[in-house]
Amino acid sequence: MAVSVALRVALPTASAYGRATTFAVAASRSRGSLHLARRLLATAQPEPVATFANQASLPRLPVPPLAQTAARYLDSCRPLLTPEDFARTKAVVDAFAAPAGLGTALQQRLLDLDAQTP
């Protein structure tokens, strides 16, 4: 029994017309046809774009308060740690986020950097 599959894929490309290019691939159950279909899809990649090409168009994100960051960190650690390890981690995070802790100084430096960066 022969099984065939028709696959139509629309891949976005940076074409001159700004339209997505559609590739139609028919693959039978035979190994050669399926390999050909995979090879066609692998070579149909969109043109590369520089990593930070759209950076200027992105909205600026606010710097969250240190207490919120510390709480979210502890929430993410809780399911991964034993109660003893979590208690030690909480003590370290509390010392870091304390008003006289290193976290407060680093948070202020981060806020200063955010204010200077356009």
Side-chain angles (χ1 to χ4, degrees):
M1 174 167 112
V3 175
S4 63
V5 175
L7 176 66
R8 183 173 295 275
V9 179
L11 297 173
T13 60
S15 68
Y17 304 108
R19 287 184 255 151
T21 303
T22 302
F23 296 90
V25 178
S28 68
R29 190 145 196 200
S30 70
R31 186 178 196 150
S33 296
L34 189 55
H35 177 70
L36 175 63
R38 285 183 184 147
R39 203 170 75 218
L40 284 173
L41 288 174
T43 58
Q45 297 297 320
E47 293 181 25
V49 177
T51 302
F52 297 105
N54 297 318
Q55 188 73 21
S57 64
L58 295 175
R60 296 210 26 130
L61 296 176
V63 176
L66 181 60
Q68 179 185 354
T69 304
R72 288 185 70 184
Y73 175 72
L74 289 173
D75 287 343
S76 68
C77 288
R78 188 181 308 270
L80 304 173
L81 299 174
T82 64
E84 297 82 21
D85 288 340
F86 181 76
R88 282 194 300 266
T89 301
K90 184 171 180 353
V92 170
V93 169
D94 289 343
F96 180 81
L102 178 62
T104 304
L106 292 175
Q107 179 77 3
Q108 187 57 50
R109 287 179 63 187
L110 183 60
L111 290 171
D112 293 343
L113 178 66
D114 184 57
Q116 293 173 3
T117 307

